[in-house]
Amino acid sequence: MTPITCSVYAEKLAGILRSYDWNTVEVFAEKLHQLSLAGGTLYICGNGGSAGNAIHLANDFLYGICPSAEATIKVEALSANAAVLTCLGNDTGFENIYAHQVKTKGKLGDILWVLSGSGNSPNIVKAVEQANATGVYTVGTLGYKGGKCLELVNLPIHFAVDDMQIAEDLQLVVGHMLMRLLNTSLGNNHE
């Protein structure tokens, strides 16, 4: 890991935030709005810090979009259930921990959102492949060169940054933007 100062880190992150074309996030927000109206489910997954971000954002989407629960999105972080993850990892292989869940739960019209620094983790790639085969729309928030997922997902939100911490920061930025956009579009405007 390259040594860095706080000001260099902050400037690197700020530069990406200033220069990125955020249209893909707005497209994703519209997809999620339509998902909400159709009663579909959003599944989120990732590894390590991205798995933690998936759980964080599932909470924000479950409650933050509409605290009164009058209009919301059904959401599940596939990384949240340790019993399921260890069972599937032990019995079917770690590369299947998300793909198996997508196969058993995913339905035509649902959305799978993968959070990945590299876009190449075998369990993330297999989850996307399973979702695509099932008719689940796929979105990836990806860092580095985007990896295999850049070509596999229906909607890539790609930040060409070679820094895992900033890539994970950007996953949360995108998630928080989506939460705020959906809070507005679903007509609740709660903080």
Side-chain angles (χ1 to χ4, degrees), residues 44-163:
I44 314 173
C45 67
N47 290 317
S50 300
N53 285 345
I55 295 168
H56 174 131
L57 293 171
N59 172 65
D60 285 355
F61 280 49
L62 180 76
Y63 181 74
I65 289 173
C66 180
S68 69
E70 293 171 11
T72 190
I73 290 177
K74 296 176 193 170
V75 60
E76 180 179 348
L78 298 178
S79 55
N81 189 325
V84 169
L85 295 177
T86 55
C87 171
L88 293 174
N90 185 62
D91 291 2
T92 71
F94 189 74
E95 68 277 11
N96 297 309
I97 63 171
Y98 296 133
H100 188 87
Q101 292 187 73
V102 170
K103 186 174 183 179
T104 58
K105 300 174 188 179
K107 294 181 177 63
L108 181 67
D110 288 343
I111 296 176
L112 173 69
W113 181 19
V114 299
L115 309 175
S116 178
S118 71
N120 281 324
S121 300
N123 61 342
I124 299 299
V125 171
K126 287 193 81 165
V128 171
E129 290 172 340
Q130 180 60 55
N132 287 339
T134 308
V136 172
Y137 189 81
T138 53
V139 181
T141 298
L142 311 165
Y144 293 84
K145 294 180 180 176
K148 295 176 183 173
C149 287
L150 184 62
E151 299 300 323
L152 291 173
V153 297
N154 298 119
L155 180 64
I157 300 171
H158 179 221
F159 300 97
V161 59
D162 59 349
D163 185 305

